[in-house]
Amino acid sequence: MSNFEHQPHGINSLSTIIKRLEAATSRLEDIALASSSLSTVQRTLDAGPSVSAPQTSKPAPSAAPEEPKSVKAYKEMVIQAKLQPYLKLSEGLSGPVNEQARAVSTLFEKLGDLIYCASASAKPTDANLATLLQPMVQSIEAIGKIKDSNRGGKNRDSFNHLSAVAEGVPAMGWVQSPKPAPVVAEAKDSAQFWGDRVIKEYKEKDPKHIEWVRSFAAVLEELRKYVVEYHTTGLVWNPKGGDALAWTKPGGTATAAAGGPPPPPPPPPPPPVLPPADAPATAPAALGGAAAVFAELNKGEAITSGLRKVPKDQMTHKNPALRNTVPVPTSPGPAGGKKPLKPTKPTALAGKKPSRLELEGNKWFVENFENDKGIIIDKAEINQSVNLFGLKNCTVQVKGKVNAVALLNCNKTSILIDSVISSVSVANSPSFAVQITGTAPTIQVDATDSGQIYLSKDCLNTEIMTAKCSSINVSLPVEGEEEGVFVERAIPEMLRTTIQDGKLVTTFVEHSG
């Protein structure tokens, strides 16, 4: 048999083989495709949910808003220029001084947050403002506790340092005052009183303590300048701002000024009460609010059917005698018609401090008495000094010869002194009275209005120095008269300055009657 006889059979076999190969190839392609899909799914599951999914996507963080001008100035003028040098010097002194300085740093940080909050928020109510001030109040209390806990013991040498700072931080009260600059200035003067004691003590011992006093005074002075420039009439709020309690510092997660998240929203209103099934047909009249109004309007002309016709003898426009009668009130007012009492302003940064009369080492402390006319320091010694602070309407008697007497932040206070070795100092104490029955070489009066100084015959050689004072009178004993007869002389207040040979020459202005 020739080869041509088997050709059709071979062609058929070849076609069958090709079909089988195509089928195998298609099967292999399906297997490869399935394997690739399975690998993709596995990688997706291992990688977690897709970041492009709408339900898990997060908006791109927006750029931080630019800080207001007042906030920038506060950081540059107060924090960086003055506060940082004070903190660095406090680290060198260590101990409670450094501990108190860290609390001061926290206080100024909270003040910066409040200024930032005010620039973006509307002025809050007094109650909400007290909430915003609470973090600052806590910092001020912490500063005072550090001072009180180091009155004696091994840290007693730092008490004047701690007192200077504790008396200076009430300058933060400017945020509640319509005249903030004087508040800061008064606190600075109070701090300077204790700072002068530090300078006097370490003048010839360690100059870094003097530099520390000046650095803290510079912080308060720079704060005063900042307040004058940016908050002349009080802390500036933003009339178009939002809720101060809900304010969040940019980059933070919680309300910075208030110290916590905003209050939760109120609960939803209760579901409406369904009328009973046996309610009469006139039930719509019992509806309240807008439903009652629309129900009445839907009556049309029948709305006036329930009105009673007023007879002529009851019409006030036809009977003038009825106009003098007292109308019956439609509804009783709250609390018998009295207006609700206006809530008092929060004390916030102020508070009544406990009274104190005690001797610590060689220093007497008389503090925070009111309406007490019988305060007596008996058997005072020559190496002791007497410090009076925060007295109001009081009389103090110092028996014995003492080293020095200081009167600070007292109001309507009188003090009777036997003798003083160095000086009698009066600062920020309006309406004071000082009587010296013995001797005193120097009397200093600073930033005080209205005062009376009584001198004895042995005290006529004293020197009286005044600064920023008015209405200060000195009563001198009359020669040849019995004891207790005085003549009053006023300390000049008006000065005249002229220029002579390129120099300023200042003299008192004398008035002739």
Side-chain angles (χ1 to χ4, degrees), residues 165-220:
V165 176
E167 295 300 330
V169 292
M172 300 301 170
W174 72 265
V175 298
Q176 287 186 291
S177 175
K179 297 180 180 180
V183 175
V184 182
E186 183 177 354
K188 180 193 172 186
D189 291 339
S190 300
Q192 190 63 45
F193 171 79
W194 295 97
D196 290 343
R197 290 172 172 268
V198 177
I199 294 176
K200 183 178 179 181
E201 183 178 357
Y202 290 92
K203 190 174 183 179
E204 299 178 356
K205 295 181 182 179
D206 193 345
K208 69 180 181 181
H209 290 266
I210 300 175
E211 188 178 359
W212 178 89
V213 171
R214 292 172 179 170
S215 68
F216 183 70
V219 172
L220 297 180

Side-chain angles (χ1 to χ4, degrees), residues 379-392:
K379 297 180 181 179
E381 299 179 1
I382 196 171
N383 64 334
Q384 295 176 349
S385 60
V386 179
N387 303 307
L388 285 69
F389 178 81
L391 305 185
K392 185 176 181 181

Side-chain angles (χ1 to χ4, degrees), residues 357 366 369-370 372-377 391 394-398:
L357 172 59
V366 185
F369 284 91
E370 289 188 11
D372 193 336
K373 302 293 185 179
I375 304 175
I376 299 176
I377 298 178
L391 305 185
C394 295
T395 300
V396 181
Q397 183 177 359
V398 181

Side-chain angles (χ1 to χ4, degrees), residues 117-367:
C117 174
S119 66
S121 308
K123 186 175 182 179
T125 62
D126 289 340
N128 289 344
L129 180 59
T131 302
L132 294 171
L133 294 177
Q134 195 59 33
M136 295 176 60
V137 174
Q138 294 173 355
S139 296
I140 293 177
E141 291 176 350
I143 293 171
K145 288 180 180 179
I146 294 173
K147 180 200 75 170
D148 294 335
S149 61
N150 290 278
R151 289 183 180 273
K154 62 180 181 179
N155 295 320
R156 61 184 304 173
D157 293 339
S158 302
F159 183 72
N160 288 335
H161 301 69
L162 304 178
S163 297
V165 176
E167 295 300 330
V169 292
M172 300 301 170
W174 72 265
V175 298
Q176 287 186 291
S177 175
K179 297 180 180 180
V183 175
V184 182
E186 183 177 354
K188 180 193 172 186
D189 291 339
S190 300
Q192 190 63 45
F193 171 79
W194 295 97
D196 290 343
R197 290 172 172 268
V198 177
I199 294 176
K200 183 178 179 181
E201 183 178 357
Y202 290 92
K203 190 174 183 179
E204 299 178 356
K205 295 181 182 179
D206 193 345
K208 69 180 181 181
H209 290 266
I210 300 175
E211 188 178 359
W212 178 89
V213 171
R214 292 172 179 170
S215 68
F216 183 70
V219 172
L220 297 180
E221 177 61 20
E222 197 67 18
L223 178 63
R224 187 192 66 81
K225 293 180 181 179
Y226 166 79
V227 168
V228 169
E229 183 173 356
Y230 292 93
H231 305 276
T232 308
T233 58
L235 182 61
V236 178
W237 298 87
N238 187 350
K240 299 181 181 180
D243 185 5
L245 291 180
W247 177 81
T248 302
K249 185 176 180 180
T253 57
T255 304
V273 180
L274 297 177
D278 56 350
T282 59
L287 296 175
V293 176
F294 286 110
E296 292 293 329
L297 293 177
N298 289 333
K299 292 182 179 180
E301 296 181 356
I303 191 173
T304 60
S305 60
L307 298 180
R308 180 177 64 87
K309 185 177 181 180
V310 180
K312 294 182 179 181
D313 58 347
Q314 296 182 7
M315 296 180 180
T316 56
H317 68 284
K318 293 185 178 182
N319 296 276
L322 296 177
R323 300 175 189 172
N324 298 328
T325 60
V326 180
V328 179
T330 55
S331 60
K338 295 182 179 179
K339 295 182 179 180
L341 296 177
K342 185 178 180 180
T344 58
K345 293 184 178 181
T347 55
L349 303 177
K352 180 69 172 63
K353 297 181 179 179
S355 302
R356 177 188 178 206
L357 172 59
E358 60 182 346
L359 174 64
E360 288 188 0
N362 59 351
K363 298 178 182 179
W364 283 95
F365 291 95
V366 185
E367 299 178 354

Side-chain angles (χ1 to χ4, degrees), residues 432-434 445 449-455 464 466 470-476 487-493:
F432 75 94
V434 173
V445 185
D449 297 327
S450 181
Q452 195 77 27
I453 301 174
Y454 297 89
L455 301 179
I464 302 176
T466 61
S470 63
S471 302
I472 306 297
N473 299 317
V474 181
S475 295
L476 305 175
V487 59
E488 187 176 271
R489 297 285 185 263
I491 293 180
E493 301 175 19

